[in-house]
Amino acid sequence: MDIKLSQCFIAVDDHDKALAFYRDVLGLEVRNDVGFENMRWVTVGAPSQPDVDIVLEPPLADPNASPADRQAMAELLAKGLLRAVIFATEDCDATFERIRAAGGEVLQEPIDQPYGVRDCAFRDPAGNMLRFTQRLAK
């Protein structure tokens, strides 16, 4: 059996701000932009991974959700508690400098981890934690 990752989802509260970050800062390509019932889903991905999509979706994409549930999800998103995504990079330090220079909110500067990677971390405009890892040579 061959199983591969196809899509992952990141909650965002402002698609235009998210696009400015994921497209313009990280360099991901926009693959789809769909609106439905006052909601919007934008699909982005790395040109080097055409089979993996990242869907930028509303924090609670269920049209039947209660106002209380929508508020709870918005509050969790604002605290950065909904999702974390890890990206691989060939040069953690260069990636860090590019994102920091573009105004990214730094959570962790590049550091060698005991589990074999050098990584750094940022928050996206919605508050999600994004880590960028580089495998260290053995």
Side-chain angles (χ1 to χ4, degrees):
M1 176 167 44
D2 186 22
I3 297 175
K4 297 179 183 178
L5 178 65
S6 172
Q7 296 177 325
C8 66
F9 295 80
I10 298 175
V12 300
D13 55 357
D14 184 320
H15 282 88
D16 293 326
K17 286 182 183 176
L19 272 173
F21 181 79
Y22 287 93
R23 180 193 58 213
D24 302 339
V25 176
L26 299 187
L28 301 180
E29 62 187 12
V30 176
R31 297 183 178 160
N32 209 354
D33 192 337
V34 177
F36 179 72
E37 293 186 7
N38 297 322
M39 289 184 274
R40 182 177 176 194
W41 291 264
V42 177
T43 304
V44 297
S48 62
Q49 289 183 301
D51 296 337
V52 179
D53 293 327
I54 300 168
V55 181
L56 306 175
E57 67 171 352
L60 188 56
D62 181 346
N64 300 313
S66 71
D69 288 344
R70 289 184 191 285
Q71 181 63 33
M73 290 297 284
E75 289 172 6
L76 290 171
L77 178 63
K79 293 177 183 178
L81 297 175
L82 288 186
R83 301 202 170 69
V85 177
I86 300 174
F87 290 93
T89 180
E90 292 180 7
D91 188 336
C92 181
D93 293 278
T95 299
F96 176 82
E97 290 303 330
R98 187 178 82 234
I99 298 169
R100 181 172 67 174
E105 181 186 342
V106 177
L107 294 178
Q108 175 198 303
E109 293 193 11
I111 186 171
D112 291 350
Q113 300 288 2
Y115 42 88
V117 301
R118 182 168 180 78
D119 71 357
C120 62
F122 290 88
R123 286 211 190 281
D124 75 0
N128 298 296
M129 182 176 61
L130 307 178
R131 298 190 79 78
F132 298 86
T133 66
Q134 172 188 346
R135 290 183 191 259
L136 296 174
K138 292 184 178 186

